[in-house]
Amino acid sequence: MTLYSETDTPKARRDEPWTVGRLAGEIKGALSDRFAGKVRVVGEVSNLSDRNHWFFSLKDEQAAIRAVMFASAARRVGFAVRDGMEVVAIGRIDFYDAQGSVQLYVDKLEPVGEGARELALRAMIEELRGLGYFDPAHKKPLPGVPRKIAVVTSRSAAALQDVIDTAGRRWAGCELVLVDVRVQGDDAAPGISAALNYLSEHGDRHGIDAVLLTRGGGSVEDLWAFNERVVADAVFGCRLPVVAAIGHETDTTVAELVADVRCATPTQAAMTLVPERAVLEQQVDQLARRLTLGLRQRGDHFRGRVEAAARHELFRRPERLVAAAEHRLDQLAHRLHAAPARRVEAAQRRIEALGRTLDAVSPGSVLRRGYSITRAADGELLRSAADVAPGSRLTTTLAEGEVASVVEGAPPAPPTPPVPKRSRRVRPKTKPGTDEPMLFA
């Protein structure tokens, strides 16, 4: 593209400077004209930055170009991308005005060669294993008798007819609901994941008990949609139990590894989910027999309890129990009426006993036994004759009346207690020349 021509542009126009925006617009237009469609670029991933959107460079021995892959496209990449990996990037060339750089806007990434794709698949499987996607602890149990099953497959798939025939033959009471999706091609993985996410969120409202994800056999490329990361995430996050049967018995996809139950064929998947009518009838008969036996045993148990109650004295001769209760009530009433009087009588006896004890130790009682009390003139109680002097006036209280007296002489000295005599120890006599005691007749 020619920006300007000296022969067609006046001199004033040739000398006039361009704005940066105008120059950027011209470059952007030139790139749009030259690269009108998508390009396929093979190169090595470098400086990968995962910030929801992917920013990286594609390089080879001669050059490098910036690339960006938006989150909506990055989520559809079915393998783990890392620095140093050789890939084919499919996208459009455009000029980014804000940074003044040419960038490749990538819509799809493919690993280079079949071996690279298998390597990327194994790397993703190891990543999912580390995240617990295959852990049996996360597997949900299947419903015993499902009422409604959502079959996620293509309307034209042969696997759908196998599922319908098998389910109808085993038990017609189970309803199948088709969720029509593409099962191969570039748009298959987003459609399958969207269907599973919808069933996870709204399945209960529609009465869905389980999900059957299936398709018939095919080449590795035909089944590759079930190896995509978005499908694995949808299967793992589905709140309903998922049974997966993809391809033939020898084919194993990531979706089957993540599913709660993996079956070899669509027919086996239908047999796993839909119970057989004869088996259900047998289970119903067994439950009916157990219920009948249980009711009979409980009836016999309660009949025995009624008969035992009928033999009880309460039902045979209730008047005796009533009479005994009345007699007991009369006794309690008599004890209740007599209790206050007995307690008052006991209290009176205790008071009288305490009065007698108090009277026995009173001063008057002591005086009546012949004792007296002597006080000095100031009323002080005398306890010793040494406490008075000649001429002191004393008052002696007897059991009957008082006697006044005057001390004439000094009180006699208290008698000296006799000194005990010391006993003399008599040493026993011994026989001459021996230590033997001498015995006397």
Side-chain angles (χ1 to χ4, degrees):
M1 177 181 180
T2 304
L3 297 180
Y4 69 95
S5 173
E6 292 185 356
T7 59
D8 298 334
T9 305
K11 187 176 186 303
R13 293 287 304 274
R14 291 199 303 267
D15 295 338
E16 181 181 349
W18 285 20
T19 64
V20 175
R22 180 182 175 185
L23 178 60
E26 293 291 339
I27 296 174
K28 191 176 183 71
L31 288 175
S32 298
D33 292 342
R34 175 66 180 82
F35 300 98
K38 292 186 178 181
V39 296
R40 295 171 60 90
V41 182
V42 59
E44 180 182 313
V45 176
S46 176
N47 298 322
L48 176 63
S49 174
D50 185 358
R51 291 176 291 179
N52 196 14
H53 307 305
W54 290 1
F55 300 92
F56 56 96
S57 297
L58 284 178
K59 67 177 184 177
D60 58 13
E61 295 83 0
Q62 299 175 352
I65 185 171
R66 290 185 179 180
V68 60
M69 192 172 193
F70 295 121
S72 57
R75 284 194 294 268
R76 295 196 298 268
V77 177
F79 59 95
V81 180
R82 62 183 181 275
D83 288 344
M85 177 180 289
E86 190 174 12
V87 297
V88 175
I90 305 171
R92 58 186 175 85
I93 297 291
D94 204 348
F95 183 71
Y96 185 31
D97 306 35
Q99 293 184 354
S101 62
V102 176
Q103 291 189 147
L104 174 63
Y105 291 84
V106 181
D107 297 326
K108 187 175 180 181
L109 282 178
E110 295 178 353
V112 174
E114 190 69 23
R117 186 169 67 173
E118 292 298 326
L119 180 63
L121 176 61
R122 287 196 296 270
M124 186 180 69
I125 289 176
E126 291 303 319
E127 180 186 1
L128 296 181
R129 179 176 286 109
L131 294 174
Y133 277 41
F134 311 145
D135 192 345
H138 294 158
K139 305 294 184 181
K140 293 176 286 294
L142 301 182
V145 183
R147 298 165 298 174
K148 188 180 293 186
I149 299 173
V151 182
V152 180
T153 189
S154 172
R155 184 183 298 273
S156 60
L160 176 61
Q161 193 59 46
D162 293 340
V163 172
I164 294 175
D165 294 342
T166 303
R169 184 174 61 254
R170 291 177 66 82
W171 182 41
C174 180
E175 181 181 356
L176 300 180
V177 178
L178 172 64
V179 181
D180 188 15
V181 296
R182 296 186 61 181
V183 292
Q184 70 182 58
D186 294 341
D187 299 332
I192 295 171
S193 63
L196 291 173
N197 292 333
Y198 177 84
L199 291 172
S200 177
E201 184 175 356
H202 304 288
D204 293 340
R205 179 163 57 88
H206 295 291
I208 304 297
D209 296 320
V211 177
L212 198 163
L213 179 62
T214 185
R215 67 149 289 161
S219 65
V220 175
E221 290 76 13
D222 294 339
L223 304 179
W224 196 258
F226 296 91
N227 288 327
E228 299 284 357
R229 176 63 181 268
V230 289
V231 176
D233 291 339
V235 173
F236 183 75
C238 185
R239 293 188 295 178
L240 298 173
V242 178
V243 176
I246 312 299
H248 299 294
E249 186 172 358
T250 56
D251 300 321
T252 303
T253 62
V254 174
E256 293 174 286
L257 297 175
V258 180
D260 300 301
V261 176
R262 187 236 175 201
C263 295
T265 62
T267 300
Q268 185 184 13
M271 295 176 62
T272 300
L273 269 176
V274 181
E276 190 173 1
R277 178 184 179 90
V279 176
L280 288 178
E281 291 177 349
Q282 183 179 3
Q283 292 178 353
V284 170
D285 292 340
Q286 292 178 351
L287 291 175
R289 288 194 295 269
R290 290 176 58 185
L291 180 61
T292 302
L293 179 60
L295 290 174
R296 183 180 297 112
Q297 291 176 345
R298 289 183 67 85
D300 294 341
H301 171 71
F302 286 110
R303 186 181 299 107
R305 293 186 61 181
V306 171
E307 293 175 354
R311 293 191 298 269
H312 195 272
E313 189 73 14
L314 174 63
F315 298 100
R316 295 177 64 249
R317 295 181 180 178
E319 65 277 2
R320 289 189 177 182
L321 296 178
V322 173
E326 290 178 348
H327 178 68
R328 176 66 175 166
L329 182 61
D330 292 340
Q331 288 181 336
L332 292 176
H334 177 72
R335 292 176 58 186
L336 179 62
H337 290 299
R342 288 198 299 270
R343 292 179 66 86
V344 170
E345 182 180 355
Q348 289 177 346
R349 290 196 297 269
R350 181 169 178 77
I351 291 173
E352 292 175 357
L354 292 175
R356 289 192 296 270
T357 302
L358 182 61
D359 182 67
V361 297
S362 66
S365 176
V366 175
L367 294 177
R368 285 194 296 272
R369 291 200 297 271
Y371 293 94
S372 63
I373 300 173
T374 303
R375 294 182 175 85
D378 56 1
E380 182 180 0
L381 185 66
L382 296 180
R383 290 180 173 81
S384 174
D387 294 339
V388 298
S392 300
R393 293 184 176 274
L394 305 177
T395 301
T396 301
T397 302
L398 304 175
E400 295 181 0
E402 294 181 347
V403 175
S405 59
V406 177
V407 179
E408 295 182 349
T416 302
V419 179
K421 295 182 179 181
R422 299 179 60 183
S423 59
R424 189 175 59 179
R425 184 175 182 184
V426 180
R427 185 175 183 181
K429 294 182 178 181
T430 59
K431 296 180 180 181
T434 66
D435 292 332
E436 296 180 5
M438 185 178 294
L439 302 179
F440 298 92

